[in-house]
Amino acid sequence: MTASILDGKRVAAEIRAEVAADVARLAGEGITPDLDVVLVGEDPASHVYVNAKANAARSVGIRETTHRYPRDLDQGALLATIDRLNADSSVDAILVQLPLPKHIDTARVLESIDPAKDADGFHPVNVGRLVQGKPAPVPCTPAGILELLVREGVEIAGKRAVVVGRSDIVGKPMATLLLKADATVTIAHSKTRDLPGVCREADILIVALGRAGFVTGEYVKPGAVVVDVGINRVSRREDVERFFPGDAVRLAEWEKKGSTLVGDCDPSSVPEQASRLTPVPGGVGPLTIARLLFNTVQLARARR
Ligand code: NDP
């Protein structure tokens, strides 16, 4: 079997077009949704993500401001910035780019965001609302994945779903959403015994553990639908050759840039078992950004 693609780029473009139409409707009511992104430090990947979010927001007509601070910003100053954005009635949605520098208490910062302006849906009030099935901004990556499965016609109700990874950002909210969609859900993590065996029970396997090519074909039940959330940059030639044997395009990319992106699934063996699979890049990443735009407009509508 060679898996067909679950087309994250296409579904993300659909969501963005719907959001743009919604922004145009709001403009008719004199409302321009506003997203404020707070970025602390110089982490290159965070800068890439924040720029992508800003460009995407502007492309659909959302007003976006990125507040950039040096990595030695103290926690008090960051909390003061968030207080100011909370109090500013022109701001609809606030996103603090993670990870924050080590000296800052991430939980404290996320809890300081007004839940009504919580673009990522990480505030405990919104997490609780999601778990209880009440309206809330839903964390963008899992929300995008659910949207992908639904729009690509993957049946969820009654299916066995396994989520590998239990982070607050991906794994836990993903499991909550799949449960809400009537899947029978297992969450696996670093202490799970017989991870390959647990994963092989899945009709739908969501992999979010942050290790390049970790999940191989041996973990996948033949015909399963697999979503690879991982984004890992590999720079050693032997890794590129191992993950992409005989792939001249990938090798050329590596030669040009010195690295290439690999998901958490092994791109040489997983497609042989799965019926459908998200590519990396071009799978989950674009959906995450599309759902951020969606959340921003939802928050603007709710607040105004
Ligand atoms: P975290 O590091 O926060 O969590 C990783 C999870 O994987 C943990 O629950 C950990 O278990 C589990 N894990 C780690 N190693 C193993 C192992 N050997 N076996 C089983 N479980 C393991 O990562 P995130 O959830 O933030 O991100 C996961 C991946 O998704 C990363 O590659 C990240 O880059 C990517 N990502 C992609 C996004 C996108 O838009 N495409 C958005 C967000 C993340 P334990 O809890 O026991 O430590």
Side-chain angles (χ1 to χ4, degrees):
M1 185 178 303
T2 294
S4 65
I5 279 181
L6 279 171
D7 197 345
K9 264 193 194 159
R10 184 188 63 75
V11 171
E14 251 176 52
I15 296 170
R16 282 164 70 146
E18 289 163 15
V19 171
D22 216 11
V23 172
R25 273 193 292 277
L26 282 171
E29 300 165 33
I31 298 167
T32 304
D34 177 284
L35 168 67
D36 284 59
V37 177
V38 179
L39 173 60
V40 184
E42 288 82 35
D43 176 51
S46 290
H47 277 258
V48 171
Y49 295 143
V50 163
N51 289 339
K53 288 168 186 177
N55 290 335
R58 291 188 194 127
S59 76
V60 296
I62 290 171
R63 187 171 55 237
E64 193 277 344
T65 308
T66 305
H67 306 263
R68 292 170 196 269
Y69 297 101
R71 83 169 306 287
D72 60 359
L73 179 78
D74 76 69
Q75 180 164 307
L78 178 55
L79 292 172
T81 297
I82 293 170
D83 279 350
R84 184 170 54 73
L85 296 171
N86 284 339
D88 183 342
S89 64
S90 69
V91 173
D92 293 304
I94 303 166
L95 180 152
V96 176
Q97 182 65 35
L98 302 180
L100 287 167
K102 293 253 179 326
H103 66 279
I104 292 178
D105 178 349
T106 300
R108 170 109 194 263
V109 170
L110 295 178
E111 284 178 34
S112 74
I113 297 172
D114 179 348
K117 296 187 175 189
D118 178 21
D120 264 332
F122 294 157
H123 192 286
V125 166
N126 288 323
V127 174
R129 293 181 68 86
L130 176 67
V131 171
Q132 292 188 338
K134 293 181 177 150
V138 181
C140 302
T141 301
I145 293 169
L146 195 81
E147 199 86 24
L148 174 71
L149 295 175
V150 169
R151 293 191 193 218
E152 288 274 33
V154 175
E155 204 183 317
I156 302 174
K159 299 288 181 182
R160 291 294 302 265
V162 174
V163 180
V164 186
R166 56 176 164 181
S167 69
D168 292 338
I169 294 171
V170 186
K172 284 183 202 158
M174 186 74 252
T176 303
L177 290 176
L178 287 164
L179 187 62
K180 200 171 160 212
D182 295 328
T184 300
V185 183
T186 300
I187 307 178
H189 46 76
S190 67
K191 306 288 187 294
T192 296
R193 291 200 186 142
D194 185 21
L195 185 63
V198 171
C199 290
R200 274 197 305 272
E201 290 174 8
D203 302 307
I204 300 170
L205 178 62
I206 314 282
V207 185
L209 56 83
R211 298 178 71 172
F214 183 90
V215 165
T216 59
E218 184 208 340
Y219 290 60
V220 180
K221 175 162 94 175
V225 172
V226 180
V227 174
D228 186 353
V229 186
I231 304 179
N232 309 286
R233 195 163 279 287
V234 296
S235 46
R236 295 187 333 175
R237 185 185 181 106
E238 58 264 39
D239 287 337
V240 180
E241 285 174 343
R242 178 163 57 95
F243 289 133
F244 305 102
D247 186 336
V249 176
R250 282 288 189 158
L251 205 54
E253 185 199 341
W254 173 80
E255 272 164 2
K256 194 168 155 212
K257 295 186 185 166
S259 66
T260 188
L261 291 181
V262 181
D264 291 345
C265 293
D266 171 24
S268 66
S269 59
V270 170
E272 296 308 315
Q273 297 297 318
S275 62
R276 308 196 69 186
L277 174 65
T278 52
V280 178
V284 174
L287 292 161
T288 299
I289 293 183
R291 280 296 303 205
L292 169 64
L293 309 181
F294 176 88
N295 280 359
T296 299
V297 174
Q298 292 292 103
L299 291 172
R301 204 176 268 293
R303 275 188 62 248
R304 307 209 200 186

